[in-house]
Amino acid sequence: MNTDGFTFQSTLEANYLNISLEEDAAIDEIAVKVIREDCPDFLIPFRLMSMNDNLILKYKLINTVALEYANKKLSKADFVRLYLNLLTPFIKGKDWFLDYHNLCVDPRYVFLDKYNEKVYFIYVPEASHCSTENEISDFFRDVFRSAEITDDKDFQVKLYRYFTGGEITLIDLYQMFQEEQKNVDRIPGTPSGRDVEPQRYEAPPVSPVNPKPVSMGSPKPAQQPAVAPQPTPKIPEEKKEEDDIMNQLFGNDKKKKEKTKKTKAEKKERPSKAEKLDSAEKNGDGAKKGLGIFGGFGHGSKKKEESQSQPVYQESGYRSNSLQNDVTAVPSYNPLYDQSGEMTEIGDSGYGGGVRRYLELTYSPFPGAPQRISLEFSTPYINIGRKSSDEIQPDIAFPGEFRRMGRMHARIENDNGSLRVIDLGSRNHTFLSGQQLVPNVPYPLTDGLELTFTEDQPVRYRVHC
């Protein structure tokens, strides 16, 4: 589908997606009437407007996040529900006399409700904006490829075989996921499942053991019967094929183990810290390198005092009392939270020269905000939000006191080395140097800008790139 005329707009009332059409565009009047009077719940209704000799389709977006930026780590039950909701408009759209080729299948313009499981599509009732069969097949294939099913790898392998096996038909795909939905419903404890009585576990029968009387003399070792060497079993072709699929989806465990063994061997060969100190003392260069009396650095007491200094909580907010110029001396970290609610700093020593790109806290209304957020992440993106009871937590989780911040508030992604920030449809907005971000639209993140989360009770960070 052609998406050149798609633009986002943010107003005080709501966020909008506008689609610009030519004045002489052939509009499907039946579809316009159906959506205006009896809009199905899987479509976002629109208003048809005329502006500057152009027709404008105006879609109102409320509490939605684009599928492109939605969470991709899902349980099997959540993934099956999402996939069925994506397939439903293509199967049942004909009941409203709608052609599924007019559904936009660009994941940037397919929207998910942030507070329930609903999926919303954009329907463009104009011939030049139709999606082809290949585009629709690629859409459903890409949705599977971009997702990570966290609790059932066998199901992911099954889907991989299906999508690589040949032509995809929407009816077959819909029926297959309906069957999987029934299987999920039979599993007790799943969010949509019905609790059924679990089968009682019965231990296998155990033969009674009759101990023999023990003599006072030294027992003779029992002679083991000779066992003929067994031939090495051949791995069937199906097993090899399944191993290849698992390696493609989840990596090669054998290579990882070999790499771990090499790493352990290298660590054994490296000299220990004590050996280094002994060598420095023998060579007489301990003072030159700043080694103190007890094997530490000469200025250790000063560094200790600096590390113990904490930002001061003021009545007007929580401000950092100093900015350090030497960023290479500060390790990068991702502040996460364990089940007890306490913040844990996970060190990251993989950058050698220290952190080159990070966010530094300049203002917070409450204590507990991360002082620094590393932008040297190895994943394609990190999500920023508030800690909640959800199963999936953001990568950077603020404490529960930050009620104005959304559970999945914003995202920072790495696009071939360039950093971009995206507001994930938050209720209280995200700002970049005072400019309110339009949700689901990427903005470049450059050095010196101020990134602010929420308008009321804002949390501000300075960008260092």
Side-chain angles (χ1 to χ4, degrees):
M1 176 177 284
N2 179 22
T3 59
D4 293 339
F6 287 44
T7 57
F8 285 97
Q9 178 188 7
S10 182
T11 66
L12 295 176
E13 178 189 8
N15 303 308
Y16 294 92
L17 171 66
N18 298 328
I19 301 179
S20 179
L21 306 175
E22 298 295 332
E23 185 69 28
D24 56 351
I27 301 293
D28 185 351
E29 297 294 340
I30 295 179
V32 172
K33 185 176 181 180
V34 167
I35 294 175
R36 183 183 299 161
E37 298 179 0
D38 185 22
C39 183
D41 59 359
F42 50 76
L43 295 183
I44 297 179
F46 60 81
R47 288 185 295 165
L48 187 59
M49 306 172 61
S50 180
M51 184 180 298
N52 299 329
D53 296 331
N54 287 334
L55 290 175
I56 303 293
L57 298 175
K58 201 174 189 70
Y59 302 81
K60 187 176 182 179
L61 309 176
I62 301 177
N63 297 329
T64 56
V65 58
L67 179 63
E68 175 78 8
Y69 308 120
N71 178 46
K72 299 300 191 300
K73 291 184 178 180
L74 301 168
S75 64
K76 177 183 176 180
D78 292 336
F79 181 77
V80 169
R81 285 196 296 273
L82 171 64
Y83 222 84
L84 281 175
N85 287 337
L86 291 172
L87 283 164
T88 297
F90 295 85
I91 304 301
K92 298 184 178 181
K94 60 184 179 181
D95 296 340
W96 282 268
F97 303 99
L98 300 175
D99 185 357
Y100 68 79
H101 294 92
N102 290 94
L103 294 169
C104 179
V105 291
D106 189 322
R108 296 173 297 173
Y109 307 111
V110 178
F111 299 96
L112 309 181
D113 194 299
K114 293 192 67 175
Y115 302 101
N116 55 47
E117 300 173 354
K118 287 187 176 180
V119 176
Y120 298 106
F121 279 86
I122 297 296
Y123 190 91
V124 187
E126 201 269 331
S128 66
H129 286 75
C130 289
S131 301
T132 65
E133 291 289 345
N134 288 335
E135 288 175 336
I136 295 172
S137 299
D138 290 342
F139 167 74
F140 284 101
R141 184 183 289 108
D142 292 341
V143 169
F144 159 69
R145 287 176 176 173
S146 62
E148 178 184 345
I149 302 174
T150 58
D151 58 352
D152 195 337
K153 291 185 178 181
D154 292 337
F155 177 62
Q156 198 159 357
V157 171
K158 176 183 177 181
L159 291 181
Y160 179 85
R161 286 176 172 167
Y162 177 82
F163 283 110
T164 56
E167 184 180 357
I168 298 174
T169 61
L170 298 181
I171 293 294
D172 291 343
L173 199 59
Y174 186 72
Q175 292 176 349
M176 181 176 72
F177 271 85
Q178 280 187 319
E179 290 299 321
E180 293 295 340
Q181 179 68 60
K182 294 178 182 178
N183 295 334
V184 170
D185 288 343
R186 296 191 187 100
I187 301 175
T190 56
S192 64
R194 298 185 298 270
D195 289 339
V196 297
E197 183 179 357
Q199 296 181 355
R200 181 177 299 176
Y201 173 77
E202 296 182 0
V206 180
S207 301
V209 178
N210 295 322
K212 296 181 179 179
V214 181
S215 63
M216 299 300 294
S218 300
K220 296 182 180 180
Q223 295 182 357
Q224 299 293 334
V227 180
Q230 299 293 330
T232 304
K234 294 183 178 180
I235 301 176
E237 294 297 328
E238 294 181 358
K239 178 63 176 175
K240 290 183 179 180
E241 180 184 354
E242 184 173 347
D243 290 343
D244 292 339
I245 294 174
M246 295 293 286
N247 289 335
Q248 291 183 28
L249 289 174
F250 312 108
N252 194 330
D253 292 339
K254 185 177 180 181
K255 292 182 179 179
K256 292 180 181 178
K257 291 179 180 178
E258 292 177 355
K259 186 176 179 182
T260 304
K261 290 180 180 179
K262 290 181 181 179
T263 305
K264 290 181 179 179
E266 291 175 357
K267 287 183 177 179
K268 289 181 180 180
E269 294 177 0
R270 295 175 186 171
S272 64
K273 185 175 181 181
E275 292 174 351
K276 290 181 179 179
L277 294 176
D278 293 340
S279 176
E281 290 176 358
K282 290 179 181 179
N283 296 332
D285 56 353
K288 295 179 182 179
K289 294 184 178 180
L291 293 174
I293 299 176
F294 301 101
F297 287 90
H299 301 287
S301 59
K302 183 178 180 181
K303 289 192 175 184
K304 185 177 181 180
E305 292 175 1
E306 292 178 355
S307 63
Q308 290 177 348
S309 63
Q310 299 292 334
V312 181
Y313 180 75
Q314 302 175 355
E315 185 177 354
S316 58
Y318 187 75
R319 295 180 182 272
S320 177
N321 61 350
S322 64
L323 293 176
Q324 299 184 14
N325 296 324
D326 184 11
V327 300
T328 60
V330 182
S332 66
Y333 64 90
N334 273 344
L336 300 177
Y337 294 82
D338 55 23
Q339 294 180 354
S340 63
E342 297 179 356
M343 187 170 66
T344 304
E345 293 183 358
I346 300 180
D348 189 353
S349 58
Y351 303 114
V355 182
R356 295 181 292 108
R357 302 190 294 184
Y358 60 94
L359 302 178
E360 184 155 19
L361 181 68
T362 60
Y363 177 84
S364 174
F366 308 107
Q371 273 302 114
R372 291 196 177 189
I373 299 175
S374 172
L375 300 179
E376 297 286 351
F377 46 87
S378 58
T379 55
Y381 60 85
I382 56 173
N383 288 330
I384 299 174
R386 186 186 79 249
K387 179 178 171 62
S388 65
S389 59
D390 294 346
E391 181 180 356
I392 304 298
Q393 297 293 322
D395 302 294
I396 309 298
F398 283 72
E401 290 79 7
F402 292 78
R403 299 295 301 172
R404 298 293 189 273
M405 184 171 290
R407 292 175 294 181
M408 289 289 179
H409 192 96
R411 168 178 296 187
I412 298 177
E413 63 180 18
N414 190 334
D415 182 22
N416 295 324
S418 299
L419 296 173
R420 306 191 302 181
V421 59
I422 301 140
D423 181 272
L424 300 179
S426 63
R427 288 183 173 181
N428 295 305
H429 315 297
T430 306
F431 300 84
L432 198 58
S433 293
Q435 177 187 0
Q436 181 178 323
L437 304 188
V438 178
N440 302 302
V441 178
Y443 290 79
L445 204 60
T446 57
D447 186 62
L449 296 180
E450 183 182 66
L451 183 61
T452 304
F453 302 109
T454 78
E455 185 174 14
D456 185 21
Q457 299 180 352
V459 184
R460 298 190 181 98
Y461 283 88
R462 182 69 60 187
V463 180
H464 296 269
C465 293

